[in-house]
């Protein structure tokens, strides 16, 4: 089987792991890493046995697919260039820096897929590939209420976006995937602490058909916490993203009346980014591989933008 020829665009804190996984994959030939910093680019290229290029333009004719891990502000320009060249692409989340740029990328994708319907375009919402999340989805768990918490110390990166697009969007995408229905209303409050953008946000979402969720995201906490709790009909699920553990309790009819019974959930732990990229490689090679579509990622952006507007309104009220 011929290997998928891949380039990684952007080899910063996350992009270096894109390069590592591509270099180690049996399905892939890592043709090049692309980064405007020659020192950084050559360092990562040497580390993973490939070459460095300053621009993607010189690499595109040599590859089948591109992994974009550049800062969000560059997503639109790089994405359009990759699609115009007819290459498969996986874009780190969020899809774009703004809804208009996201819409432009979707339009570019429609044009590219009109020429090549088999072109794969995915977005790196890697929590969907967390083994605990995959186990929860396999159970067919349908939440009526959910509570997501994602907090951590300031990462000294992604300073060009707020905590909603940087962090909360993981949980917004997951909630949309679990509910399978659109968000009908959003309430939110937030405050800037270390940047000019909101660094701490709490949001409440209501979904079509009933049900709601609260989501907290912070990048000014003293320690990391990434947890998700959901309540469904006669069932409760508690998930820890970091430890990849899932606890499910169900209310069942026992011999002496109703009983709360734990459900055993078998989870094989693995690296979510690796699972996500391997699924992308599989899809690019024409096999079955689940990916997060650009349209799904755009819907998560749309909800994130609603949260941003609600936070802006709450901040105006404080002035």
């Amino acid at each position: 089987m011929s290997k998928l020829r891949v380039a990684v665009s952007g080899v910063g804190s996350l992009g270096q792991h894109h390069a590592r996984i591509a270099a180690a994959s049996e399905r892939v030939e890592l043709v090049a890493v692309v980064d405007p910093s020659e020192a950084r680019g050559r360092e990562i290229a040497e580390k993973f046995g490939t070459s460095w290029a300053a621009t993607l333009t010189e690499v595109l004719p040599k590859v089948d697919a591109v992994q974009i891990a550049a800062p969000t502000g560059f997503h639109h320009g790089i994405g359009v260039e990759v699609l115009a060249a007819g290459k498969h692409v996986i874009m780190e989340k969020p899809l774009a820096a703004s809804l208009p740029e996201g819409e432009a990328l979707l339009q570019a994708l429609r044009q590219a897929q009109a020429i090549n319907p088999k072109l794969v375009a995915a977005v790196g919402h890697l929590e969907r590939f967390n083994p605990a999340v995959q186990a929860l989805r396999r159970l067919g768990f349908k939440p009526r209420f959910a509570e997501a918490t994602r907090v951590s110390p300031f990462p000294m990166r992604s300073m060009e976006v707020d905590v909603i697009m940087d962090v909360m969007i993981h949980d917004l995408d997951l909630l949309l995937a679990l509910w399978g229905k659109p968000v009908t209303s959003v309430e939110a409050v937030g405050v800037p602490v270390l940047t000019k953008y909101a660094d701490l946000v709490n949001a409440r979402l209501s979904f079509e058909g009933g049900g709601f969720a609260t989501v907290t995201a912070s990048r000014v906490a003293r320690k990391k916490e990434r947890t998700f709790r959901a309540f469904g009909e006669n069932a409760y699920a508690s998930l820890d993203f970091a430890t990849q553990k899932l606890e499910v309790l169900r209310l069942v009819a026992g011999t002496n009346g109703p009983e709360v019974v734990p459900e055993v959930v078998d989870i094989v732990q693995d690296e979510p980014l690796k699972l996500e990229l391997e699924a992308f490689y599989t899809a690019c090679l024409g096999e079955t591989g689940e990916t997060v579509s650009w349209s799904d990622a755009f819907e998560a952006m749309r909800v994130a933008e609603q949260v941003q507007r609600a936070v802006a309104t709450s901040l105006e009220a404080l002035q």
Side-chain angles (χ1 to χ4, degrees):
M1 181 184 71
S2 59
K3 291 188 174 183
L4 185 74
R5 299 171 301 162
V6 166
V8 174
S9 179
V11 287
S13 59
L14 181 57
Q16 64 180 325
H17 295 294
H18 273 257
R20 168 179 58 82
I21 291 167
S25 175
E26 296 180 354
R27 294 173 173 268
V28 165
E29 175 192 351
L30 179 59
V31 173
V33 296
V34 180
D35 200 280
S37 168
E38 180 174 358
R40 178 64 173 178
R42 289 194 183 280
E43 174 194 353
I44 299 301
E46 182 178 352
K47 186 174 182 179
F48 298 115
T50 189
S51 60
W52 163 76
T55 68
L56 190 58
T57 304
E58 58 191 283
V59 173
L60 279 175
K62 307 173 187 177
V63 302
D64 307 304
V66 179
Q67 299 169 210
I68 301 175
T72 305
F74 296 98
H75 285 191
H76 171 260
I78 298 174
V80 168
E81 182 181 7
V82 172
L83 290 174
K87 308 299 181 179
H88 303 297
V89 56
I90 183 167
M91 183 88 75
E92 264 307 324
K93 63 80 194 164
L95 173 64
S98 67
L99 288 181
E101 287 191 355
E103 289 172 341
L105 281 172
L106 289 175
Q107 177 60 26
L109 176 59
R110 285 190 288 269
Q111 293 172 350
Q113 289 182 330
I115 299 171
N116 178 12
K118 295 184 179 179
L119 191 69
V120 177
V123 176
H125 281 288
L126 59 78
E127 291 295 21
R128 288 224 210 164
F129 296 85
N130 188 300
V133 171
Q134 292 183 323
L136 181 65
R137 297 187 70 186
R138 283 195 299 270
L139 292 174
F141 194 96
K142 296 297 182 183
R144 292 181 172 179
F145 168 75
E147 180 181 59
T149 301
R150 187 175 297 267
V151 303
S152 66
F154 195 75
M156 300 308 295
R157 60 167 180 76
S158 299
M159 297 179 70
E160 77 281 3
V161 295
D162 59 24
V163 74
I164 302 163
M165 284 294 186
D166 181 29
V167 174
M168 183 181 282
I169 198 163
H170 280 298
D171 297 305
L172 298 179
D173 171 72
L174 179 56
L175 288 166
L176 288 169
L178 286 173
W179 246 275
K181 295 181 180 179
V183 170
T184 56
S185 67
V186 172
E187 300 173 35
V189 293
V191 291
V193 179
L194 299 178
T195 72
K196 64 180 180 179
Y197 304 107
D199 295 311
L200 170 62
V201 172
N202 177 264
R204 177 187 170 102
L205 315 177
S206 297
F207 290 85
E208 183 180 282
F212 59 95
T214 61
V215 190
T216 300
S218 170
R219 51 188 182 187
V220 290
R222 296 194 63 185
K223 62 180 181 179
K224 286 186 177 182
E225 179 185 349
R226 294 183 291 149
T227 57
F228 183 86
R229 298 191 303 153
F231 300 82
E233 185 175 2
N234 298 326
Y236 162 78
S238 177
L239 186 153
D240 188 308
F241 294 98
T243 61
Q244 299 182 10
K245 291 182 179 179
L246 173 64
E247 178 185 26
V248 176
L249 302 175
R250 295 192 185 274
L251 182 66
V252 300
T255 54
N256 298 316
E259 295 180 3
V260 176
V261 178
E263 182 173 337
V264 177
V265 183
D266 292 325
I267 296 174
V268 179
Q269 295 192 351
D270 207 336
E271 182 182 4
L273 182 59
K274 176 186 174 185
L275 295 174
E276 174 187 79
L277 291 176
E278 288 292 348
F280 171 68
Y281 302 151
T282 297
C284 292
L285 291 168
E287 303 170 29
T288 302
E290 180 186 358
T291 61
V292 179
S293 70
W294 279 21
S295 58
D296 278 358
F298 184 75
E299 288 307 310
M301 279 188 64
R302 196 196 299 275
V303 176
E305 195 265 347
Q306 290 178 265
V307 176
Q308 287 176 324
R309 283 192 276 115
V311 168
T313 300
S314 73
L315 288 174
E316 289 173 2
L318 292 175
Q319 296 176 355

